[in-house]
């Protein structure tokens, strides 16, 4: 079910929603992750549970299958990355600082009145280690009282 936050939500509340999404990925619950927030399906890429999982196990190359990666990059190419819990990590507080949240001065500058900020999550843990896989989100105003996240992409930065 889509989760919204009050329009007055601060950075800590938004960070909490990002962590909730990451924890669903760590549980390999891609369908629930897709239901938690909105997804930008206006580009060429459509986010489905399978494509979200593929973005993880291929280290940000979801258009490849595991077989494609092995063929392209060699049999020893790792194709089974898994997101692991940020909340269970010993450096949790340090990792949470890697979630950057910026509110725009004027949403109209982006050609819309409903995108009011952005989030860069540079703390996606893969197999228990910090990776350079980054999750990007917009902060979207739903109405005069609520906001949510709009997932944009998961790729290597």
């Amino acid at each position: 079910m889509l989760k919204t936050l009050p329009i007055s939500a601060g950075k800590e509340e938004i960070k909490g929603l990002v962590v909730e999404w990451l924890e669903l990925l760590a549980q390999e619950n891609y369908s629930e992750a897709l239901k938690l927030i909105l997804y930008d399906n206006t580009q060429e890429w459509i986010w489905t549970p399978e494509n979200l999982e593929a973005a993880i196990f291929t280290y940000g190359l979801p258009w490849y299958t595991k077989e494609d990666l092995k063929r392209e990059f060699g049999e020893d190419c790792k194709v089974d990355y898994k997101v692991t819990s940020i909340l269970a990590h010993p450096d949790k507080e340090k990792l949470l600082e890697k979630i950057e949240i910026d509110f725009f001065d004027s949403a109209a500058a982006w050609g819309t009145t409903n995108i009011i900020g952005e989030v860069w999550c540079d703390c996606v843990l893969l197999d228990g280690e910090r990776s350079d896989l980054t999750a990007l989100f917009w902060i979207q105003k739903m109405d005069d009282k609520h906001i949510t996240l709009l997932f944009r992409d998961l790729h290597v930065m």
Side-chain angles (χ1 to χ4, degrees), residues 49-133:
E50 297 79 17
N51 289 344
L52 187 54
E53 180 182 18
I56 295 162
F57 72 66
T58 63
Y59 207 90
L61 302 169
W63 49 89
Y64 282 108
T65 65
K66 291 178 181 183
E67 294 76 23
D68 291 339
L69 283 175
K70 294 258 183 212
R71 189 171 39 258
E72 183 77 23
F73 300 106
E75 282 301 312
D76 60 341
C77 177
K78 186 170 179 175
V79 293
D80 58 354
Y81 290 97
K82 302 279 186 208
V83 172
T84 48
S85 174
I86 194 170
L87 296 177
H89 197 277
D91 288 331
K92 173 180 80 172
E93 296 306 318
K94 206 178 241 188
L95 290 168
L96 292 174
E97 291 174 10
K98 299 293 182 185
I99 300 174
E100 297 179 30
I101 301 166
D102 293 309
F103 291 98
F104 301 143
D105 292 333
S106 169
W110 288 88
T112 179
T113 57
N114 63 341
I115 302 297
I116 61 170
E118 66 182 343
V119 178
W120 288 58
C121 176
D122 191 21
C123 60
V124 177
L125 295 176
L126 294 178
D127 302 333
E129 301 292 326
R130 185 165 169 226
S131 71
D132 52 0
L133 198 62

Side-chain angles (χ1 to χ4, degrees), residues 1-17:
M1 176 182 216
L2 180 67
K3 185 166 186 178
T4 61
L5 299 171
I7 193 83
S8 60
K11 291 183 178 183
E12 289 307 309
E13 291 160 296
I14 293 168
K15 193 177 286 192
L17 185 53

